[in-house]
């Protein structure tokens, strides 16, 4: 739309965790995007007059893996409505598709799905005229698998008659601020269900880790004992050599006198 600027941002932590989740899956992953939309306006003053520019800032906060398609690529409107209702503090922004070793351009099936998403009441009523966003995510590796690449592209339409265009993603991270501001920081994103199931494992060391740490401590103690024994044997050897050296000298003198 002329006179309108659309920007999209995402936390680096959220994006990295999303890639980690998708890599754990056995195949392609589809899901929904949730976050927040902020609209504002600014006035640009020039010699020709004043122009008001509408600004829309999209903040992606959650990549929710979710099955809302059938085998033919038909969107289940009821499933999308239920997923949106499960995120009351966030807005439904669109959807994403993760597929490994593939180009960052939408397939015909994805274009068909996106056309359905644009007409869903669950999106039209919540975005306020803004078209839904499609995030394409992929990963690839070089021939010897020494380097892995993680790529993404966010696409949307400016209007119903325009083509899908790529939106530059701004990755936001924590900054060095004052201690008071850091103490008042609160995460705006909600962890997905898959991440929630991992939280108990991350809160304490796993049994295997504790067993390895115990084994390492015992091994370190045994190595310390062996080092002490070797040092004691070296001291004893030095003392014996100190006693034998005068005897060798006396024996050599007797042999020379004979």
């Amino acid at each position: 739309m002329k006179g309108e600027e659309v920007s999209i941002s995402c936390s680096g932590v959220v994006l990295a965790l999303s890639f980690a989740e998708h890599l754990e899956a056995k195949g392609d992953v589809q899901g929904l995007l949730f976050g927040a939309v902020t609209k504002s306006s600014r006035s640009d003053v020039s010699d020709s007059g004043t122009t008001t520019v509408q600004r829309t800032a999209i903040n992606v906060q959650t990549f929710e893996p979710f099955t809302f398609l059938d085998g033919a690529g038909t969107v289940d409107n009821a499933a999308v409505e239920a997923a949106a209702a499960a995120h009351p503090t966030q807005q439904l922004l669109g959807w994403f598709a993760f597929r490994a070793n593939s180009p960052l351009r939408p397939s015909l099936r994805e274009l068909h799905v996106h056309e359905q998403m644009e007409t869903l009441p669950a999106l039209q009523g919540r975005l306020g005229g803004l078209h839904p966003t499609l995030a394409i995510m992929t990963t690839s590796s070089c021939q010897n698998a020494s380097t892995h690449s993680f790529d993404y592209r966010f696409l949307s339409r400016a209007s119903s008659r325009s083509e899908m265009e790529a939106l530059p993603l701004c990755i936001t991270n924590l900054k060095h601020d004052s201690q008071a501001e850091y103490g008042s920081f609160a995460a705006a994103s909600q962890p997905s269900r898959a991440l929630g199931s991992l939280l108990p494992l991350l809160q304490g060391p796993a049994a295997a880790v504790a067993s390895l740490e115990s084994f390492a401590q015992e091994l370190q103690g045994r190595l310390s004992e062996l080092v002490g024994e070797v040092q004691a044997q070296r001291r004893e050897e030095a003392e014996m050599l100190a006693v034998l050296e005068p005897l060798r000298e006396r024996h050599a003198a007797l042999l020379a006198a004979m």
Side-chain angles (χ1 to χ4, degrees), residues 41-159:
S41 61
R42 78 166 191 268
S43 298
D44 292 340
V45 181
S46 62
D47 294 338
S48 59
T50 302
T51 304
T52 301
V53 179
Q54 301 295 327
R55 304 179 63 183
T56 302
I58 304 172
N59 179 237
V60 180
Q61 300 170 355
T62 303
F63 293 80
E64 182 73 25
F66 188 73
T67 302
F68 61 99
L69 305 171
D70 60 12
T74 303
V75 176
D76 187 347
N77 186 33
V80 176
E81 289 279 3
H87 295 76
T89 61
Q90 295 177 315
Q91 290 180 264
L92 177 60
L93 305 177
W95 67 294
F96 71 88
F98 174 84
R99 37 185 171 79
N101 300 315
S102 59
L104 290 174
R105 59 175 180 267
S107 63
L108 293 177
R109 184 176 187 272
E110 289 167 347
L111 289 175
H112 173 64
V113 173
H114 195 73
E115 289 177 355
Q116 298 177 71
M117 295 292 290
E118 290 177 328
T119 60
L120 283 182
L123 278 166
Q124 289 182 337
R126 289 177 170 87
L127 291 180
L130 185 68
H131 287 262
T133 300
L134 166 61
I136 301 177
M137 310 171 71
T138 186
T139 180
S140 59
S141 61
C142 62
Q143 188 173 3
N144 60 357
S146 62
T147 304
H148 294 260
S149 300
F150 300 91
D151 300 310
Y152 54 83
R153 177 175 291 177
F154 288 77
L155 303 167
S156 184
R157 300 183 197 270
S159 65

Side-chain angles (χ1 to χ4, degrees), residues 57 71 100 239:
E239 293 173 356

Side-chain angles (χ1 to χ4, degrees), residues 8-14 59-60 169-175:
I8 186 167
S9 63
C10 179
S11 167
V13 176
V14 172
N59 179 237
V60 180
L169 177 67
C170 176
I171 298 179
T172 58
N173 296 294
L174 292 178
K175 301 179 180 179

